[in-house]
Amino acid sequence: MSLSAVPRAGVGVLARARLVAALDDAAPLVILHAPMGYGKTVAMAQWARGTAHRGVWMRVRDGGGEPRPFVQQLAAQLVDAGLLDDGNPLRTAAETLAVDDDPWGLLARGLRRRPGLIVVALDDGDRLSDATVRGLIDLLADVPELLVRVTVRRASLFTEPSLAVLVDAVIVGRGELSLTASEALELTGDSQAADQIVAGGGVPALARMLTLGDVGASGANVEQAARSLLRLRGGNWDDAFVAFLETVAVADALDVRLAEAISGRSDALRLLETAEAEGLGSWETPGPRDSTAVFVFSPFLRLAAEESLRRERSRPEVREIIRRVARWELERGLAFSALRRAAEIDDASLVDEVLRRHWNELLTYRGRLTELFAHVPLLALRTRPLVAMVLAIVANASGTQRLRALEYFGLAIYGARMQRASAPPADRVLLRAIETTSYRVSGRSGALAAARDGYRALQEMDAAERDRLGRNEPTVYNQIGTSLFYGGLTADALDCFRRSTAVSDAKGLFAGLQGLALTAGTLAVTGEVGESREVIDEALSRAWPERWVDGYPGSFLQLARGFSALEGGDPDAADAAIRILDAHRATIEHWPLLTHLDVLIALARGRVGSAHAVLANALRTQQARHATSELTLSRLRHTRALVLLAAGDAAGAERVVAKDKDPVRRGVSLGRIALAAGDVEGAVRVLQASAGMAASARIESEHLALTVGALALGGTDPDGARRMLDRLAVVLEQRALLVPLAMVPANALEAIAEVAGDPDVQQLIARAGRIGMIPATRRRVQLTPREIAVADELTRSETVAEIAAALVVSPNTVKSQLRSLYRKLGVSSRVDALRALAALDLPGSEH
């Protein structure tokens, strides 16, 4: 047994059993620490090929030294090695780490899921950041099944004297890595040369150099000696081979095809095999003649070659070589390394191509992305919308750089707008997706127009054009659909979300899971809860990357689950679903919907004060965010009106919604306010004014429930009220809704219960009453003493003549006083007046 992906042994490599034994120590951490040239990689590879343990050899990639990309790379190698079962969370590490802030927790959970010891051999550990080293050390303490072996050149946290306090560690230093006299003799076959090697510090790389020719090197300066390798013009190396090395070793790794392309040598395979024989690098498995094989150069050769290349070649030549290396890395999926090289030579089109193809994966690098483009002036970002968008997402995710994020979003909008006119269809759609996302998240107007244009373009594109969107196609559907949803175009939004899921399923991607979540949430928010529950069940039956279900990608799924539970009459279950997202409230764009559901849950529990506090806290926390589309503002206004009405402030609630631009939603809120006050005539008036207008299933259901409440409370047509109630019951059952009925004010809900005939309908009303949200309000109406007297007599007398006789006034006087009384009560009949009087506190009256 051996580790997976161990480099192939070079020709004539000295076997060093004592170092293999040191690496075989039972300690969880063994570090090989020495400068370049001491054979650390060779020794660890010898051990890795013969160990009885299972695990992976890992060469830390360019940019992979931070925790997220490091864990992502390690997870990918564990998957490639077949060391993870299908349910292991590390199988979807890239997707999880795009949204998760705890890479070490993910790695620990994944490693614990597999049986037995597992070894990770880390070559070139100097590329790891301090944060990553600390994370690894902590991980070793938490996961006893893990063994780590690492090579480092420089002093670091791996070599701190106090390391033993945290973890059982063995450090194999320069002295142990130096060649002994017998090893030097075995390597050179010359006792005089062996003595010279030992006297020079026993450096294996120097031993190799001395066998090639006198380079004037000593153990005190191995790196300088390494650079002299490329200045040799004798021995086994000719000028052509040196020139080849200068060119190809600029890459961390490469295959034969790339070596041929950048060197112009058709015999690149032979030259790479020569480099292997000279100890300058090794082949990653499989063998060199396999088309997928990759040659990895020794670190000191890369350093020497790149320095020599930049010194000996013109800038255009160097730029072209780096571009070809970057394109090769892009095709191999080495996204960050390709992006770094493209940024280094300022190749904007290549930078855009890398971002377009590996958008989500690159978000894992976060801070490194910011560093990579730190030199780009803000004005230059006006022509680089993809770069601006990535920087905006990174800044927005931090929670502390909101203003900088808004600045980047603005630049992304400008750049996308300037470029899209001349862009091919796929790029135009991508630019529109950038625009609409930037507009929406930054709260600027324009999100809906960009989304509608992007949606039309998607519909007009053929399959081949859509394929150019690559792995981003479902994400484009999700972002455009989200803007359509917030713009009120629900049917188009749902079409986008469903297409996202279909495309992802066909291509084996995960973004379609977010499409499922968005579908479920949209259906629940708009009132199609029965259909939403079917989508929720499908979504929960799927395997999600860790932290997606309870993070931004799954936020609409939790929203859907919350609405579903509340519509089932269970505010506690609704609260449990929505609390899952608390960690993301500071940065999530869906906070108005989450806040609205929070308010409904609090009202359903009878906690009006809590509802007020939840809303006030959300508005205070989010006031720096400007994600305030008109539809969002409308939702927030009506949420606030609900809280005010539940607290008894009908006048305040009316002021909040009176000027809302949505006639149906405004009519529903004003009708609810009127009903709570017992003003049946006013409720009927505003509800009739908005009847028949297009609205969501939820708003239509609320409108119908309030209309039934007005009919029942009016009391003039109980049969009509009962027929409309039966219709309402059917609608609510079809849509699996309960909340629209629970939002009918208590006095009207009681009146509805009085006219209900069907036992099932009575049970429905009882369930709604248990989570009833709006109590009846008691208006204070200022009446004159004579009006109070008329009101008092109205409860006892049937006719105007009887009231006039009782009060000793003329019938005309009574009629005049009744008109004034009805006007102040907002009613038009004796029956309505009696109902309104029962709900009032009248100054100076006992009624």
Side-chain angles (χ1 to χ4, degrees), residues 260-303:
E260 290 174 343
I262 63 177
S263 69
R265 298 291 299 253
S266 59
D267 60 346
L269 174 58
R270 179 184 64 81
L271 294 172
L272 289 174
E273 289 178 326
T274 300
E276 180 187 29
E278 298 297 338
L280 304 177
S282 58
W283 290 96
E284 288 187 346
T285 52
R289 296 187 183 277
D290 188 291
S291 61
T292 63
V294 173
F295 190 83
V296 180
F297 288 102
S298 300
F300 72 83
L301 180 64
R302 288 202 307 270
L303 176 67

Side-chain angles (χ1 to χ4, degrees), residues 75-234:
Q77 293 199 213
L78 291 169
V79 171
D80 291 343
L83 296 174
L84 302 178
D85 60 36
D86 289 342
N88 195 296
L90 289 174
R91 295 187 70 88
T92 54
E95 291 74 19
T96 297
L97 292 173
V99 300
D100 188 18
D101 288 330
D102 184 18
W104 301 113
L106 171 64
L107 184 54
R109 289 190 296 276
L111 292 177
R112 291 191 190 109
R113 283 281 299 271
R114 61 168 320 282
L117 286 174
I118 187 165
V119 177
V120 177
L122 296 174
D123 193 21
D124 203 1
D126 297 283
R127 287 188 170 186
L128 301 180
S129 69
D130 284 352
T132 303
V133 176
R134 289 192 189 95
L136 266 176
I137 292 169
D138 291 342
L139 186 71
L140 285 167
D142 292 340
V143 184
E145 299 83 8
L146 175 64
L147 303 179
V148 172
R149 304 295 182 255
V150 60
T151 68
V152 294
R153 299 188 304 275
R154 300 186 301 270
S156 68
L157 294 179
F158 275 130
T159 60
E160 283 287 339
S162 59
L163 178 62
V165 176
L166 302 175
V167 64
D168 185 11
V170 174
I171 299 178
V172 180
R174 181 187 310 201
E176 294 166 278
L177 286 160
S178 299
L179 294 173
T180 64
S182 60
E183 288 172 335
L185 180 60
E186 182 181 348
L187 182 65
T188 63
D190 184 319
S191 60
Q192 185 176 357
D195 290 342
Q196 188 178 358
I197 289 170
V198 173
V203 182
L206 288 178
R208 172 69 68 176
M209 295 175 196
L210 286 170
T211 63
L212 298 174
D214 183 8
V215 298
S218 69
N221 196 347
V222 178
E223 294 187 19
Q224 182 179 345
R227 293 188 181 97
S228 72
L229 277 172
L230 296 179
R231 293 195 292 273
L232 290 174
R233 293 297 187 267

Side-chain angles (χ1 to χ4, degrees), residues 486-711:
Y486 278 114
L489 301 181
T490 303
D492 291 344
L494 287 170
D495 181 58
C496 281
F497 301 149
R498 287 164 177 151
R499 287 174 184 264
S500 167
T501 302
V503 168
S504 294
D505 287 349
K507 295 184 176 182
L509 304 175
F510 286 99
L513 292 172
Q514 185 176 1
L516 271 180
L518 288 164
T519 300
T522 299
L523 290 169
V525 168
T526 55
E528 299 289 357
V529 174
E531 191 176 348
S532 174
R533 285 173 178 163
E534 294 178 4
V535 182
I536 291 171
D537 289 342
E538 181 183 353
L540 293 178
S541 72
R542 303 235 187 159
W544 287 66
E546 273 216 358
R547 300 297 185 243
W548 272 40
V549 168
D550 54 359
Y552 178 77
S555 55
F556 258 47
L557 180 60
Q558 302 306 334
L559 191 70
R561 292 179 65 205
F563 270 109
S564 176
L566 191 60
E567 298 293 354
D570 191 346
D572 292 339
D575 187 64
I578 211 69
R579 293 282 70 77
I580 291 172
L581 298 172
D582 279 353
H584 308 283
R585 289 296 185 97
T587 58
I588 201 165
E589 64 175 296
H590 308 311
W591 67 269
L593 289 173
L594 299 177
T595 300
H596 178 72
L597 182 53
D598 276 333
V599 165
L600 294 182
I601 291 168
L603 295 179
R605 288 168 158 174
R607 301 172 184 172
V608 178
S610 294
H612 182 272
V614 164
L615 179 60
N617 182 64
L619 294 175
R620 182 174 59 254
T621 302
Q622 300 289 350
Q623 63 183 350
R625 300 178 67 90
H626 304 287
T628 49
S629 69
E630 180 53 41
L631 193 59
T632 296
L633 286 173
S634 177
R635 282 196 177 98
L636 288 172
R637 278 193 288 269
H638 292 280
T639 302
R640 187 176 175 214
L642 273 178
V643 174
L644 291 171
L645 185 59
D649 186 1
E654 187 171 348
R655 284 194 300 271
V656 168
V657 300
K659 296 183 179 180
D660 191 85
K661 294 180 181 179
D662 183 337
V664 184
R665 194 183 293 268
R666 183 180 66 246
V668 165
S669 285
L670 292 176
R672 186 178 292 114
I673 293 166
L675 271 189
D679 181 3
V680 174
E681 185 178 78
V684 169
R685 184 171 58 252
V686 294
L687 290 169
Q688 284 182 342
S690 55
M693 294 184 181
S696 70
R698 182 172 295 281
I699 298 301
E700 285 180 353
S701 300
E702 290 181 23
H703 191 287
L704 181 57
L706 291 169
T707 301
V708 173
L711 284 175

Side-chain angles (χ1 to χ4, degrees), residues 207-495:
R208 172 69 68 176
M209 295 175 196
L210 286 170
T211 63
L212 298 174
D214 183 8
V215 298
S218 69
N221 196 347
V222 178
E223 294 187 19
Q224 182 179 345
R227 293 188 181 97
S228 72
L229 277 172
L230 296 179
R231 293 195 292 273
L232 290 174
R233 293 297 187 267
N236 297 333
W237 293 10
D238 59 23
D239 289 349
F241 181 56
V242 172
F244 175 78
L245 292 176
E246 284 178 340
T247 303
V248 299
V250 71
D252 289 354
L254 78 172
D255 61 8
V256 174
R257 181 174 58 86
L258 177 61
E260 290 174 343
I262 63 177
S263 69
R265 298 291 299 253
S266 59
D267 60 346
L269 174 58
R270 179 184 64 81
L271 294 172
L272 289 174
E273 289 178 326
T274 300
E276 180 187 29
E278 298 297 338
L280 304 177
S282 58
W283 290 96
E284 288 187 346
T285 52
R289 296 187 183 277
D290 188 291
S291 61
T292 63
V294 173
F295 190 83
V296 180
F297 288 102
S298 300
F300 72 83
L301 180 64
R302 288 202 307 270
L303 176 67
E306 187 163 355
E307 182 181 282
S308 180
L309 177 70
R310 295 180 187 280
R311 184 178 61 250
E312 301 293 336
R313 304 290 185 90
S314 67
R315 291 187 64 185
E317 285 181 296
V318 173
R319 179 183 172 87
E320 182 57 28
I321 290 170
I322 292 174
R323 179 185 290 108
R324 290 193 177 207
V325 172
R327 287 205 169 276
W328 179 84
E329 290 172 333
L330 176 59
E331 295 306 317
R332 302 284 293 209
L334 304 175
F336 183 83
S337 187
L339 184 65
R340 180 186 65 79
R341 294 185 194 275
E344 177 190 351
I345 61 175
D346 200 26
D347 188 330
S349 63
L350 183 53
V351 166
D352 284 352
E353 186 176 349
V354 178
L355 291 175
R356 186 181 297 114
R357 291 170 60 176
H358 293 278
W359 181 286
N360 288 331
E361 177 187 344
L362 285 166
L363 289 177
T364 305
Y365 290 79
R366 297 193 183 181
R368 293 299 305 276
L369 292 173
T370 303
E371 293 173 11
L372 207 57
F373 298 105
H375 68 286
V376 181
L378 285 178
L379 285 178
L381 289 176
R382 298 174 72 187
T383 62
R384 312 280 292 274
L386 274 169
V387 175
M389 186 64 176
V390 166
L391 294 177
I393 292 172
V394 171
N396 196 54
S398 73
T400 61
Q401 299 183 47
R402 176 65 180 170
L403 293 179
R404 174 52 62 94
L406 292 174
E407 191 171 30
Y408 286 140
F409 278 129
L411 294 168
I413 291 168
Y414 179 87
R417 196 166 57 235
M418 292 299 101
Q419 291 186 12
R420 70 169 184 267
S422 59
D427 286 1
R428 177 187 169 195
V429 166
L430 185 60
L431 290 168
R432 272 307 204 182
I434 291 172
E435 271 188 90
T436 191
T437 305
S438 299
Y439 276 127
R440 190 183 72 243
V441 177
S442 63
R444 304 185 185 195
S445 60
L448 181 57
R452 293 178 72 173
D453 183 62
Y455 180 56
R456 282 194 297 269
L458 278 167
Q459 291 177 307
E460 293 167 2
M461 290 167 64
D462 59 31
E465 288 173 328
R466 283 196 297 273
D467 278 345
R468 288 197 68 244
L469 291 170
R471 298 173 66 87
N472 284 322
E473 184 180 356
T475 300
V476 166
Y477 276 120
N478 289 339
Q479 291 300 330
I480 287 176
T482 299
S483 293
L484 292 172
F485 165 75
Y486 278 114
L489 301 181
T490 303
D492 291 344
L494 287 170
D495 181 58

Side-chain angles (χ1 to χ4, degrees), residues 749-783:
L749 194 59
E750 291 170 3
I752 292 174
E754 291 175 5
V755 302
D758 188 304
D760 290 337
V761 175
Q762 291 174 348
Q763 186 178 14
L764 174 68
I765 296 168
R767 289 175 55 224
R770 285 193 286 273
I771 60 167
M773 300 179 184
I774 308 298
T777 60
R778 296 176 63 83
R779 295 186 301 171
R780 296 190 62 82
V781 180
Q782 296 295 324
L783 302 181

